[in-house]
């Protein structure tokens, strides 16, 4: 049902006037998985957490890789990001889709680390591309804010770069050179040059230990539905071998976890 809904929506927007979306659907860096189709895990577990007319929070929404499919599946999506260019592109796509489909997606250009996310408001929280985070402590604080924003029984999905990744090992070796990147936060963060926002500048890149996400949810007594922490060398996405952005400093293995917040009794 979910697959057919998205594919029928996709056919409506591959017209000649939708060059932005066409570019995302046919990205030459792809390896057989359309960027705009969402992360593969999103599809595998969508039946568990997609709630039509429910509310989804997407922190670091970017171009809407996950937020857009969730909106097409009937959820009311609120996304946070500081990338104004990506936000404008996403709003353009949503505007075009809205001409043919009911799509509810709001982009808030705010610092998600400082934004007030509310309490018990969302059925789903997605933190799928948290790369440029200054410290592990700040990431955990953000996890807490997102978790508190979930309704009882809501789901939270996190995907982050791993210390088992090819990118981390390359940066560690490079940090030993005088010209190399700087290690911070006890080796959890490596500061390196990145053009992720269109301007080349030093950015912190946070890498998590393999058990960090599972331990976080276990500490919340949440039901862990899925976790992925076994490395597969040279693969951005361990489940499907996806590597759509080889220039990303966090290239390689990502760790992920999907959990459900306990119901209140």
């Amino acid at each position: 049902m979910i697959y057919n809904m998205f594919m029928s929506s996709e056919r409506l927007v591959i017209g000649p006037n939708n060059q932005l979306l066409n570019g995302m659907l046919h990205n030459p860096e792809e390896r057989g998985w359309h960027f705009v189709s969402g992360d593969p895990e999103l599809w595998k577990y969508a039946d568990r957490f997609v709630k039509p007319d429910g509310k989804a929070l997407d922190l670091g929404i970017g171009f809407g890789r996950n937020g857009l499919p969730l909106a097409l599946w009937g959820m009311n999506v609120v996304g946070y990001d500081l990338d104004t260019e990506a936000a404008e592109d996403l709003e353009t796509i949503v505007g075009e889709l809205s001409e043919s489909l009911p799509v509810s997606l709001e982009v808030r250009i705010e610092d998600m680390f400082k934004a007030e996310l509310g309490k018990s408001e969302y059925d789903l929280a997605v933190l799928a591309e948290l790369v440029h985070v200054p410290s592990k402590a700040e990431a955990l604080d953000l996890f807490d804010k997102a978790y508190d924003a979930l309704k009882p029984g809501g789901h939270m999905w996190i995907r982050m770069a791993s210390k088992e990744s090819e990118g981390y090992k390359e940066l560690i070796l490079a940090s030993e050179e005088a010209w190399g990147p700087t290690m911070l936060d006890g080796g959890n963060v490596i500061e390196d040059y990145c053009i992720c926002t269109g301007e080349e500048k030093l950015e912190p890149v946070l890498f998590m230990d393999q058990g960090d996400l599972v331990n976080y949810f276990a500490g919340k007594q949440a039901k862990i539905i899925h976790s992925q922490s076994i490395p597969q060398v040279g693969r951005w996405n361990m489940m499907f071998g996806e590597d759509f952005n080889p220039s990303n400093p966090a290239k390689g293995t990502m760790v992920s976890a999907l959990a459900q917040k306990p119901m209140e009794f």
Side-chain angles (χ1 to χ4, degrees):
M1 176 67 73
I2 288 175
Y3 177 83
N4 289 336
M5 184 186 302
F6 182 74
M7 291 306 292
S8 62
S9 302
E10 187 178 69
R11 283 196 293 271
L12 288 173
V13 297
I14 308 183
N17 295 325
N18 295 278
Q19 295 180 6
L20 178 62
L21 188 54
N22 273 321
M24 295 169 70
L25 285 168
H26 305 292
N27 186 341
E29 295 293 340
E30 295 290 356
R31 300 294 184 271
W33 185 267
H34 290 162
F35 176 89
V36 78
S37 297
D39 278 290
E41 286 95 334
L42 196 72
W43 288 79
K44 183 170 183 178
Y45 298 98
D47 287 339
R48 287 182 176 267
F49 56 70
V50 169
K51 184 177 180 181
D53 295 324
K55 196 171 180 181
L57 173 68
D58 190 343
L59 296 178
I61 191 170
F63 289 101
R65 184 178 198 209
N66 295 302
L68 190 55
L70 290 170
L72 287 168
W73 291 338
M75 297 197 76
N76 301 294
V77 180
V78 176
Y80 286 82
D81 211 299
L82 284 175
D83 189 335
T84 55
E85 182 178 350
E88 290 172 359
D89 287 344
L90 179 56
E91 287 173 346
T92 298
I93 293 171
V94 171
E96 293 182 352
L97 286 171
S98 298
E99 296 175 5
S100 305
L101 298 164
V103 180
S104 175
L105 192 155
E106 176 189 355
V107 183
R108 298 177 181 175
I109 303 176
E110 295 182 45
D111 186 338
M112 57 189 171
F113 293 96
K114 299 177 181 178
E116 292 293 331
L117 304 180
K119 303 290 184 182
S120 302
E121 289 190 19
Y122 296 92
D123 299 286
L124 171 66
V126 175
L127 301 85
E129 300 294 340
L130 287 183
V131 176
H132 299 295
V133 183
S135 69
K136 183 181 286 189
E138 289 185 60
L140 294 173
D141 286 345
L142 183 63
F143 293 173
D144 284 342
K145 286 174 58 175
Y147 193 83
D148 290 344
L150 280 181
K151 298 175 183 177
H155 291 79
M156 183 165 162
W157 175 45
I158 309 174
R159 191 167 76 113
M160 302 188 71
S162 164
K163 287 183 180 177
E164 295 297 319
S165 72
E166 177 184 339
Y168 184 75
K169 293 171 184 176
E170 289 177 359
L171 289 170
I172 287 291
L173 288 174
S175 70
E176 298 173 359
E177 304 291 339
W179 48 264
T182 303
M183 292 181 61
L184 304 169
D185 193 35
N188 296 319
V189 174
I190 300 181
E191 195 173 56
D192 195 17
Y193 282 97
C194 178
I195 55 172
C196 309
T197 59
E199 175 187 358
E200 185 176 17
K201 60 181 180 179
L202 283 171
E203 295 274 8
V205 182
L206 174 63
F207 294 85
M208 304 294 278
D209 291 305
Q210 283 179 279
D212 282 342
L213 301 184
V214 170
N215 290 337
Y216 174 79
F217 284 125
K220 296 289 187 181
Q221 297 185 320
K223 178 181 179 181
I224 298 172
I225 294 169
H226 158 75
S227 67
Q228 187 72 45
S229 60
I230 300 173
Q232 184 175 348
V233 176
R235 301 303 181 109
W236 172 267
N237 182 295
M238 290 173 285
M239 286 175 53
F240 290 81
E242 178 191 36
D243 195 11
F244 68 87
N245 187 7
S247 64
N248 192 301
K251 64 182 177 181
T253 300
M254 306 287 280
V255 289
S256 63
L258 170 67
Q260 184 177 24
K261 188 174 185 176
M263 297 292 294
E264 293 181 349
F265 297 100

